[in-house]
PDB file of all heavy atoms in Angstrom:
ATOM      1  N   LYS A   8     -12.431 -26.899 -30.895  1.00 58.00           N
ATOM      2  CA  LYS A   8     -13.263 -27.130 -32.069  1.00 58.00           C
ATOM      3  C   LYS A   8     -14.457 -28.024 -31.744  1.00 58.00           C
ATOM      4  O   LYS A   8     -15.581 -27.794 -32.185  1.00 58.00           O
ATOM      5  CB  LYS A   8     -12.432 -27.746 -33.188  1.00 58.00           C
ATOM      6  CG  LYS A   8     -11.441 -26.772 -33.830  1.00 58.00           C
ATOM      7  CD  LYS A   8     -10.631 -27.439 -34.912  1.00 58.00           C
ATOM      8  CE  LYS A   8      -9.673 -26.437 -35.560  1.00 58.00           C
ATOM      9  NZ  LYS A   8      -8.839 -27.088 -36.600  1.00 58.00           N
ATOM     10  N   SER A  11     -17.092 -26.079 -29.843  1.00 55.00           N
ATOM     11  CA  SER A  11     -17.774 -24.993 -30.552  1.00 55.00           C
ATOM     12  C   SER A  11     -18.697 -25.487 -31.662  1.00 55.00           C
ATOM     13  O   SER A  11     -19.387 -24.700 -32.279  1.00 55.00           O
ATOM     14  CB  SER A  11     -16.741 -24.028 -31.135  1.00 55.00           C
ATOM     15  OG  SER A  11     -15.921 -24.698 -32.070  1.00 55.00           O
ATOM     16  N   THR A  12     -18.726 -26.793 -31.938  1.00 53.00           N
ATOM     17  CA  THR A  12     -19.648 -27.303 -32.944  1.00 53.00           C
ATOM     18  C   THR A  12     -21.056 -27.365 -32.404  1.00 53.00           C
ATOM     19  O   THR A  12     -21.263 -27.495 -31.198  1.00 53.00           O
ATOM     20  CB  THR A  12     -19.233 -28.700 -33.428  1.00 53.00           C
ATOM     21  OG1 THR A  12     -19.176 -29.573 -32.315  1.00 53.00           O
ATOM     22  CG2 THR A  12     -17.886 -28.669 -34.138  1.00 53.00           C
ATOM     23  N   GLU A  13     -22.040 -27.284 -33.285  1.00 47.00           N
ATOM     24  CA  GLU A  13     -23.432 -27.367 -32.863  1.00 47.00           C
ATOM     25  C   GLU A  13     -23.781 -28.799 -32.488  1.00 47.00           C
ATOM     26  O   GLU A  13     -23.242 -29.766 -33.043  1.00 47.00           O
ATOM     27  CB  GLU A  13     -24.358 -26.901 -33.987  1.00 47.00           C
ATOM     28  CG  GLU A  13     -24.213 -25.429 -34.336  1.00 47.00           C
ATOM     29  CD  GLU A  13     -24.704 -24.524 -33.222  1.00 47.00           C
ATOM     30  OE1 GLU A  13     -25.387 -25.025 -32.311  1.00 47.00           O
ATOM     31  OE2 GLU A  13     -24.411 -23.328 -33.241  1.00 47.00           O
ATOM     32  N   SER A  16     -24.874 -31.279 -35.271  1.00 44.00           N
ATOM     33  CA  SER A  16     -24.016 -31.550 -36.420  1.00 44.00           C
ATOM     34  C   SER A  16     -24.034 -33.038 -36.763  1.00 44.00           C
ATOM     35  O   SER A  16     -24.094 -33.897 -35.877  1.00 44.00           O
ATOM     36  CB  SER A  16     -22.585 -31.119 -36.121  1.00 44.00           C
ATOM     37  OG  SER A  16     -22.526 -29.727 -35.908  1.00 44.00           O
ATOM     38  N   ASP A  17     -23.986 -33.362 -38.021  1.00 50.00           N
ATOM     39  CA  ASP A  17     -24.078 -34.753 -38.472  1.00 50.00           C
ATOM     40  C   ASP A  17     -22.701 -35.288 -38.829  1.00 50.00           C
ATOM     41  O   ASP A  17     -21.820 -34.564 -39.313  1.00 50.00           O
ATOM     42  CB  ASP A  17     -24.968 -34.852 -39.718  1.00 50.00           C
ATOM     43  CG  ASP A  17     -26.409 -34.433 -39.416  1.00 50.00           C
ATOM     44  OD1 ASP A  17     -26.877 -34.755 -38.306  1.00 50.00           O
ATOM     45  OD2 ASP A  17     -27.021 -33.774 -40.274  1.00 50.00           O
ATOM     46  N   ILE A  19     -20.460 -37.148 -41.294  1.00 48.00           N
ATOM     47  CA  ILE A  19     -20.537 -37.342 -42.745  1.00 48.00           C
ATOM     48  C   ILE A  19     -19.480 -38.320 -43.260  1.00 48.00           C
ATOM     49  O   ILE A  19     -19.549 -38.760 -44.397  1.00 48.00           O
ATOM     50  CB  ILE A  19     -20.388 -36.001 -43.494  1.00 48.00           C
ATOM     51  CG1 ILE A  19     -19.037 -35.357 -43.204  1.00 48.00           C
ATOM     52  CG2 ILE A  19     -21.525 -35.068 -43.141  1.00 48.00           C
ATOM     53  CD1 ILE A  19     -18.777 -34.123 -44.040  1.00 48.00           C
ATOM     54  N   THR A  27     -15.501 -37.192 -39.016  1.00 57.00           N
ATOM     55  CA  THR A  27     -15.671 -35.870 -39.616  1.00 57.00           C
ATOM     56  C   THR A  27     -17.108 -35.416 -39.453  1.00 57.00           C
ATOM     57  O   THR A  27     -18.042 -36.174 -39.718  1.00 57.00           O
ATOM     58  CB  THR A  27     -15.316 -35.893 -41.117  1.00 57.00           C
ATOM     59  OG1 THR A  27     -13.970 -36.326 -41.274  1.00 57.00           O
ATOM     60  CG2 THR A  27     -15.468 -34.502 -41.728  1.00 57.00           C
ATOM     61  N   TYR A  28     -17.285 -34.157 -38.969  1.00 54.00           N
ATOM     62  CA  TYR A  28     -18.610 -33.590 -38.750  1.00 54.00           C
ATOM     63  C   TYR A  28     -18.886 -32.504 -39.780  1.00 54.00           C
ATOM     64  O   TYR A  28     -17.975 -31.791 -40.200  1.00 54.00           O
ATOM     65  CB  TYR A  28     -18.702 -32.937 -37.363  1.00 54.00           C
ATOM     66  CG  TYR A  28     -18.655 -33.895 -36.198  1.00 54.00           C
ATOM     67  CD1 TYR A  28     -17.436 -34.229 -35.608  1.00 54.00           C
ATOM     68  CD2 TYR A  28     -19.823 -34.441 -35.672  1.00 54.00           C
ATOM     69  CE1 TYR A  28     -17.379 -35.080 -34.530  1.00 54.00           C
ATOM     70  CE2 TYR A  28     -19.773 -35.298 -34.594  1.00 54.00           C
ATOM     71  CZ  TYR A  28     -18.552 -35.619 -34.018  1.00 54.00           C
ATOM     72  OH  TYR A  28     -18.516 -36.474 -32.950  1.00 54.00           O
ATOM     73  N   THR A  29     -20.160 -32.366 -40.149  1.00 53.00           N
ATOM     74  CA  THR A  29     -20.555 -31.138 -40.840  1.00 53.00           C
ATOM     75  C   THR A  29     -20.635 -30.054 -39.797  1.00 53.00           C
ATOM     76  O   THR A  29     -21.002 -30.302 -38.650  1.00 53.00           O
ATOM     77  CB  THR A  29     -21.923 -31.292 -41.513  1.00 53.00           C
ATOM     78  OG1 THR A  29     -22.893 -31.596 -40.521  1.00 53.00           O
ATOM     79  CG2 THR A  29     -21.900 -32.387 -42.564  1.00 53.00           C
ATOM     80  N   ASP A  30     -20.319 -28.842 -40.167  1.00 50.00           N
ATOM     81  CA  ASP A  30     -20.357 -27.765 -39.167  1.00 50.00           C
ATOM     82  C   ASP A  30     -20.498 -26.433 -39.859  1.00 50.00           C
ATOM     83  O   ASP A  30     -19.580 -25.625 -39.894  1.00 50.00           O
ATOM     84  CB  ASP A  30     -19.096 -27.790 -38.302  1.00 50.00           C
ATOM     85  CG  ASP A  30     -19.256 -26.847 -37.127  1.00 50.00           C
ATOM     86  OD1 ASP A  30     -20.353 -26.773 -36.570  1.00 50.00           O
ATOM     87  OD2 ASP A  30     -18.279 -26.157 -36.802  1.00 50.00           O
ATOM     88  N   TYR A  31     -21.686 -26.209 -40.432  1.00 45.00           N
ATOM     89  CA  TYR A  31     -21.927 -24.943 -41.104  1.00 45.00           C
ATOM     90  C   TYR A  31     -22.689 -23.966 -40.220  1.00 45.00           C
ATOM     91  O   TYR A  31     -23.048 -22.887 -40.640  1.00 45.00           O
ATOM     92  CB  TYR A  31     -22.686 -25.187 -42.414  1.00 45.00           C
ATOM     93  CG  TYR A  31     -21.862 -25.965 -43.396  1.00 45.00           C
ATOM     94  CD1 TYR A  31     -22.090 -27.327 -43.553  1.00 45.00           C
ATOM     95  CD2 TYR A  31     -20.860 -25.350 -44.125  1.00 45.00           C
ATOM     96  CE1 TYR A  31     -21.314 -28.074 -44.451  1.00 45.00           C
ATOM     97  CE2 TYR A  31     -20.090 -26.072 -45.014  1.00 45.00           C
ATOM     98  CZ  TYR A  31     -20.304 -27.441 -45.184  1.00 45.00           C
ATOM     99  OH  TYR A  31     -19.551 -28.167 -46.055  1.00 45.00           O
ATOM    100  N   GLU A  32     -23.003 -24.358 -38.994  1.00 46.00           N
ATOM    101  CA  GLU A  32     -23.736 -23.493 -38.070  1.00 46.00           C
ATOM    102  C   GLU A  32     -23.000 -23.425 -36.735  1.00 46.00           C
ATOM    103  O   GLU A  32     -23.599 -23.533 -35.677  1.00 46.00           O
ATOM    104  CB  GLU A  32     -25.157 -24.013 -37.869  1.00 46.00           C
ATOM    105  CG  GLU A  32     -25.977 -24.080 -39.142  1.00 46.00           C
ATOM    106  CD  GLU A  32     -27.373 -24.605 -38.853  1.00 46.00           C
ATOM    107  OE1 GLU A  32     -28.069 -23.972 -38.019  1.00 46.00           O
ATOM    108  OE2 GLU A  32     -27.750 -25.624 -39.428  1.00 46.00           O
ATOM    109  N   SER A  33     -21.694 -23.278 -36.772  1.00 47.00           N
ATOM    110  CA  SER A  33     -20.919 -23.291 -35.545  1.00 47.00           C
ATOM    111  C   SER A  33     -21.129 -22.011 -34.747  1.00 47.00           C
ATOM    112  O   SER A  33     -21.585 -20.998 -35.263  1.00 47.00           O
ATOM    113  CB  SER A  33     -19.424 -23.437 -35.852  1.00 47.00           C
ATOM    114  OG  SER A  33     -18.987 -22.313 -36.583  1.00 47.00           O
ATOM    115  N   GLY A  37     -15.912 -20.695 -33.930  1.00 51.00           N
ATOM    116  CA  GLY A  37     -15.733 -22.099 -34.272  1.00 51.00           C
ATOM    117  C   GLY A  37     -15.445 -22.291 -35.750  1.00 51.00           C
ATOM    118  O   GLY A  37     -15.338 -21.341 -36.510  1.00 51.00           O
ATOM    119  N   PRO A  38     -15.338 -23.564 -36.160  1.00 52.00           N
ATOM    120  CA  PRO A  38     -15.064 -23.866 -37.569  1.00 52.00           C
ATOM    121  C   PRO A  38     -16.218 -23.436 -38.462  1.00 52.00           C
ATOM    122  O   PRO A  38     -17.346 -23.289 -38.020  1.00 52.00           O
ATOM    123  CB  PRO A  38     -14.898 -25.387 -37.565  1.00 52.00           C
ATOM    124  CG  PRO A  38     -14.709 -25.757 -36.133  1.00 52.00           C
ATOM    125  CD  PRO A  38     -15.433 -24.738 -35.332  1.00 52.00           C
ATOM    126  N   THR A  39     -15.947 -23.266 -39.736  1.00 56.00           N
ATOM    127  CA  THR A  39     -16.989 -22.874 -40.693  1.00 56.00           C
ATOM    128  C   THR A  39     -17.182 -23.933 -41.767  1.00 56.00           C
ATOM    129  O   THR A  39     -17.847 -23.711 -42.762  1.00 56.00           O
ATOM    130  CB  THR A  39     -16.622 -21.543 -41.357  1.00 56.00           C
ATOM    131  OG1 THR A  39     -15.354 -21.674 -42.010  1.00 56.00           O
ATOM    132  CG2 THR A  39     -16.563 -20.436 -40.335  1.00 56.00           C
ATOM    133  N   GLY A  40     -16.585 -25.107 -41.592  1.00 60.00           N
ATOM    134  CA  GLY A  40     -16.750 -26.192 -42.550  1.00 60.00           C
ATOM    135  C   GLY A  40     -16.566 -27.525 -41.867  1.00 60.00           C
ATOM    136  O   GLY A  40     -16.453 -27.589 -40.647  1.00 60.00           O
ATOM    137  N   PRO A  41     -16.558 -28.617 -42.613  1.00 63.00           N
ATOM    138  CA  PRO A  41     -16.375 -29.941 -42.023  1.00 63.00           C
ATOM    139  C   PRO A  41     -15.093 -30.017 -41.200  1.00 63.00           C
ATOM    140  O   PRO A  41     -14.070 -29.451 -41.574  1.00 63.00           O
ATOM    141  CB  PRO A  41     -16.320 -30.869 -43.236  1.00 63.00           C
ATOM    142  CG  PRO A  41     -17.041 -30.124 -44.306  1.00 63.00           C
ATOM    143  CD  PRO A  41     -16.733 -28.681 -44.077  1.00 63.00           C
ATOM    144  N   VAL A  42     -15.166 -30.713 -40.074  1.00 61.00           N
ATOM    145  CA  VAL A  42     -14.032 -30.835 -39.163  1.00 61.00           C
ATOM    146  C   VAL A  42     -13.745 -32.312 -38.951  1.00 61.00           C
ATOM    147  O   VAL A  42     -14.647 -33.093 -38.634  1.00 61.00           O
ATOM    148  CB  VAL A  42     -14.323 -30.156 -37.816  1.00 61.00           C
ATOM    149  CG1 VAL A  42     -13.130 -30.307 -36.872  1.00 61.00           C
ATOM    150  CG2 VAL A  42     -14.650 -28.691 -38.021  1.00 61.00           C
ATOM    151  N   THR A  43     -12.494 -32.706 -39.106  1.00 61.00           N
ATOM    152  CA  THR A  43     -12.098 -34.094 -38.907  1.00 61.00           C
ATOM    153  C   THR A  43     -11.219 -34.193 -37.666  1.00 61.00           C
ATOM    154  O   THR A  43     -10.290 -33.403 -37.485  1.00 61.00           O
ATOM    155  CB  THR A  43     -11.310 -34.625 -40.126  1.00 61.00           C
ATOM    156  OG1 THR A  43     -12.141 -34.556 -41.284  1.00 61.00           O
ATOM    157  CG2 THR A  43     -10.881 -36.069 -39.907  1.00 61.00           C
ATOM    158  N   PHE A  44     -11.524 -35.173 -36.796  1.00 57.00           N
ATOM    159  CA  PHE A  44     -10.733 -35.411 -35.595  1.00 57.00           C
ATOM    160  C   PHE A  44     -10.098 -36.786 -35.672  1.00 57.00           C
ATOM    161  O   PHE A  44     -10.745 -37.768 -36.058  1.00 57.00           O
ATOM    162  CB  PHE A  44     -11.599 -35.320 -34.341  1.00 57.00           C
ATOM    163  CG  PHE A  44     -12.209 -33.963 -34.139  1.00 57.00           C
ATOM    164  CD1 PHE A  44     -13.546 -33.746 -34.423  1.00 57.00           C
ATOM    165  CD2 PHE A  44     -11.440 -32.906 -33.674  1.00 57.00           C
ATOM    166  CE1 PHE A  44     -14.110 -32.497 -34.248  1.00 57.00           C
ATOM    167  CE2 PHE A  44     -12.003 -31.658 -33.504  1.00 57.00           C
ATOM    168  CZ  PHE A  44     -13.336 -31.441 -33.792  1.00 57.00           C
TER     169      PHE A  44
END
Side-chain angles (χ1 to χ4, degrees):
K8 288 179 179 178
S11 62
T12 58
E13 294 292 346
S16 297
D17 297 323
I19 61 173
T27 301
Y28 292 91
T29 60
D30 190 39
Y31 295 101
E32 300 180 58
S33 63
T39 58
V42 179
T43 299
F44 298 104

